[in-house]
Amino acid sequence: MIVPAILETDFEEIRTKILQVENVATLVHIDVADGKFVDSTTCMDISGLDDIETSCAFEIHFMVNDPCKFVEKRVRKVIKVCTQIELNSHHIDMFIQKAKKLAYKVGLSLKEETLVTELKPYLDQIDYVQFVSVIPGKQGRPFDEHVVNKIKELHKTHPHMYIQVDGGLDEKNLLKILKAGAKGAVIGSHIFASADPAEAVQKYKKVEENFYAN
């Protein structure tokens, strides 16, 4: 699945970008960053997503020191949430527990340098794994090829786990992660920095369709 990714400080910019791709994307990825866990700060209030008139659903990636405070109540249009595994185990356990209680699909995200083995205590509790394939916090950073081997490693031991990749993806890298076993591609700057974001989504969807057809 091709998932357009939005990292913005202003909620109206989030709204604008969602509307640019709503006719070609069923799911949109929203990054939430507190300027502490990563070096960027984004819009922190996701409750307004329910007020956007769109057919899109949303997934949220919490790059924050305390993700638990963001899962106090259900945001209706949000269906998936993930946070970083590099947090302490107490925050992760509480986040999974609270997110599950709100009927979200729950994932854990790994930075480039984090070992796949760090997932072991949580794999029977989560719905998906996200590999961050750039230095997290800003869009437009280069893809790290080492992530391909990490995808292969997890896919070999847990072939039914849904794996998505976030960061630095272009047409060439998209094929690499699909071949390695990923099912989701979270793409930000290569979609929204293009002249026509909707056309860019369609381009990546075509690459994905051709991969599964062959």
Side-chain angles (χ1 to χ4, degrees):
M1 173 181 278
I2 306 301
V3 185
I6 299 173
L7 187 153
E8 286 290 346
T9 58
D10 180 63
F11 189 81
E12 287 308 310
E13 283 299 313
I14 293 175
R15 184 194 304 271
T16 296
K17 287 186 172 181
I18 290 167
L19 298 180
Q20 287 176 335
V21 297
E22 66 173 348
N23 292 328
V24 293
T26 57
L27 184 66
V28 173
H29 178 105
I30 310 292
D31 285 310
V32 174
D34 61 4
K36 299 173 182 177
F37 188 81
V38 293
D39 59 5
S40 294
T41 303
T42 68
C43 177
M44 304 285 281
D45 184 7
I46 62 170
S47 62
L49 293 171
D50 277 344
D51 297 326
I52 299 176
E53 293 186 11
T54 179
S55 58
C56 291
F58 304 108
E59 65 177 35
I60 311 294
H61 177 197
F62 294 112
M63 296 180 286
V64 299
N65 280 344
D66 185 6
C68 294
K69 68 181 182 181
F70 294 93
V71 286
E72 296 294 342
K73 64 179 183 177
R74 176 69 190 252
V75 180
R76 179 174 47 84
K77 290 183 179 179
V78 173
I79 60 172
K80 295 171 62 180
V81 294
C82 74
T83 195
Q84 290 296 133
I85 199 170
E86 295 82 12
L87 298 171
N88 67 58
S89 60
H90 172 73
H91 278 319
I92 295 173
D93 290 337
M94 289 299 296
F95 176 77
I96 293 172
Q97 179 182 332
K98 293 176 75 172
K100 286 286 189 181
K101 190 174 182 180
L102 292 172
Y104 288 128
K105 290 185 177 180
V106 185
L108 287 174
S109 180
L110 285 73
K111 290 183 179 179
E112 299 165 283
E113 69 272 15
T114 303
L115 299 177
V116 174
T117 51
E118 295 296 314
L119 287 165
K120 188 175 181 180
Y122 307 106
L123 285 170
D124 62 347
Q125 303 174 56
I126 61 176
D127 302 294
Y128 67 103
V129 170
Q130 175 176 279
F131 288 108
V132 177
S133 47
V134 296
I135 298 172
K138 290 184 179 179
Q139 292 184 337
R141 290 171 167 170
F143 179 82
D144 185 341
E145 296 283 346
H146 292 96
V147 170
V148 175
N149 287 332
K150 293 168 71 173
I151 298 166
K152 291 177 180 177
E153 181 182 348
L154 180 61
H155 184 63
K156 182 177 180 179
T157 58
H158 293 78
H160 301 297
M161 177 61 71
Y162 186 89
I163 299 171
Q164 64 186 43
V165 179
D166 179 6
L169 293 171
D170 55 23
E171 292 173 79
K172 182 179 178 181
N173 295 329
L174 175 57
L175 282 174
K176 288 182 180 180
I177 67 161
L178 293 174
K179 289 176 181 178
K183 298 295 184 184
V186 179
I187 305 174
S189 58
H190 282 108
I191 287 175
F192 290 107
S194 66
D196 187 335
E199 184 178 295
V201 173
Q202 294 285 54
K203 176 183 71 174
Y204 288 112
K205 288 173 73 172
K206 190 67 176 179
V207 172
E208 182 184 46
E209 289 167 7
N210 288 340
F211 171 78
Y212 286 117
N214 295 325

